[in-house]
Amino acid sequence: MSYNLAPLQNLIDQFERMQGIGNKTAQRMAFYILSLSDDEANAFAQAITDAHTKIKQCKICCDLADDELCPVCKDGSRDRSVICVVEDPRDVAAIERTHEYNGMYHVLHGAISPMDNIGPDQIRIKELIARLSDGEVEEIIMATNPTVEGEATAMYISRLLKPMGITISRLAYGVPVGADLEYADEITLSRAIKGRSLI
């Protein structure tokens, strides 16, 4: 449904650009914004601006951070011999909710997808390889999504890392093919971490 009010339609269009947001949900969100007081609307707008300007990538793992390092990389109690490789910062949040994993992460910010012109150089593979130079890492857990692109990315990285003598495992048990990690529940992800297999 199209409205004659250009500012309202523009707001609906902006919400609709979000992944997974359809027109009706975008309309509900836009009308919610209109129902806010001026102070609430300004606080909402400021939260968006702050998130956009203050959140950056951790200089070690490429996860989201509001400082040079993310909370995981700052935490001295984490097991630095294991790195879990994920596609997206949302996957880190999903795995952290399980409370089963105490290692480090590496966020690729995507997956290899020739159809979308995304090759190995467009995601954070070089940064991962640079982290392995000190010999501290003993295992890489490939936790890319179980999609064609995620599988291709996992295989590409595992072939690159095999000569380094690092154990490479893959999340398998409980995560359905074609699903995104961020939508998996904590029990499923916990079983996937415990039941990982070597690749």
Side-chain angles (χ1 to χ4, degrees), residues 3-14 26-27 30-31 34:
Y3 290 90
N4 292 327
L5 301 173
L8 177 58
Q9 188 58 50
N10 183 42
L11 185 58
I12 291 169
D13 292 344
Q14 291 300 317
Q27 285 181 34
F31 280 106
L34 289 179

Side-chain angles (χ1 to χ4, degrees), residues 111-131:
I112 296 170
S113 178
M115 298 291 286
D116 298 318
N117 294 316
I118 301 173
D121 292 337
Q122 278 76 51
I123 58 177
R124 307 298 189 277
I125 295 175
K126 284 183 217 161
E127 291 84 348
L128 173 62
I129 293 170
R131 293 178 67 183

Side-chain angles (χ1 to χ4, degrees), residues 33 36 38-53:
I33 296 298
L36 298 176
D38 287 348
D39 287 344
E40 290 169 330
N42 287 331
F44 188 89
Q46 189 61 51
I48 292 172
T49 301
D50 286 349
H52 193 70
T53 57

Side-chain angles (χ1 to χ4, degrees), residues 1 14 30 47 50-51 83 96 144 158 163 171 183:
M1 180 174 174
Q14 291 300 317
D50 286 349
I83 295 177
E96 283 296 289
T144 53
S158 67
L171 289 191
Y183 300 118

Side-chain angles (χ1 to χ4, degrees), residues 79-143:
D79 181 356
R80 299 186 182 275
S81 70
V82 183
I83 295 177
C84 182
V85 178
V86 298
E87 292 179 28
D88 189 272
R90 291 172 291 188
D91 300 333
V92 173
I95 293 171
E96 283 296 289
R97 284 194 302 268
T98 70
H99 303 290
E100 290 288 339
Y101 179 70
N102 191 44
M104 308 301 287
Y105 292 96
H106 188 82
V107 182
L108 297 171
H109 290 275
I112 296 170
S113 178
M115 298 291 286
D116 298 318
N117 294 316
I118 301 173
D121 292 337
Q122 278 76 51
I123 58 177
R124 307 298 189 277
I125 295 175
K126 284 183 217 161
E127 291 84 348
L128 173 62
I129 293 170
R131 293 178 67 183
L132 307 177
S133 59
D134 62 7
E136 186 178 16
V137 177
E138 298 172 5
E139 181 183 6
I140 298 286
I141 302 171
M142 294 306 307

Side-chain angles (χ1 to χ4, degrees), residues 1-69:
M1 180 174 174
S2 181
Y3 290 90
N4 292 327
L5 301 173
L8 177 58
Q9 188 58 50
N10 183 42
L11 185 58
I12 291 169
D13 292 344
Q14 291 300 317
F15 282 126
E16 202 170 352
R17 291 176 62 188
M18 295 180 186
Q19 184 178 3
I21 301 296
N23 185 261
K24 290 192 179 204
T25 302
Q27 285 181 34
R28 281 195 296 274
M29 293 167 76
F31 280 106
Y32 167 76
I33 296 298
L34 289 179
S35 72
L36 298 176
S37 69
D38 287 348
D39 287 344
E40 290 169 330
N42 287 331
F44 188 89
Q46 189 61 51
I48 292 172
T49 301
D50 286 349
H52 193 70
T53 57
K54 295 179 180 177
I55 295 176
K56 50 195 168 215
Q57 288 183 20
C58 173
K59 69 176 188 175
I60 294 176
C61 72
C62 303
D63 192 12
L64 299 180
D66 60 357
D67 201 354
E68 286 203 348
L69 299 180

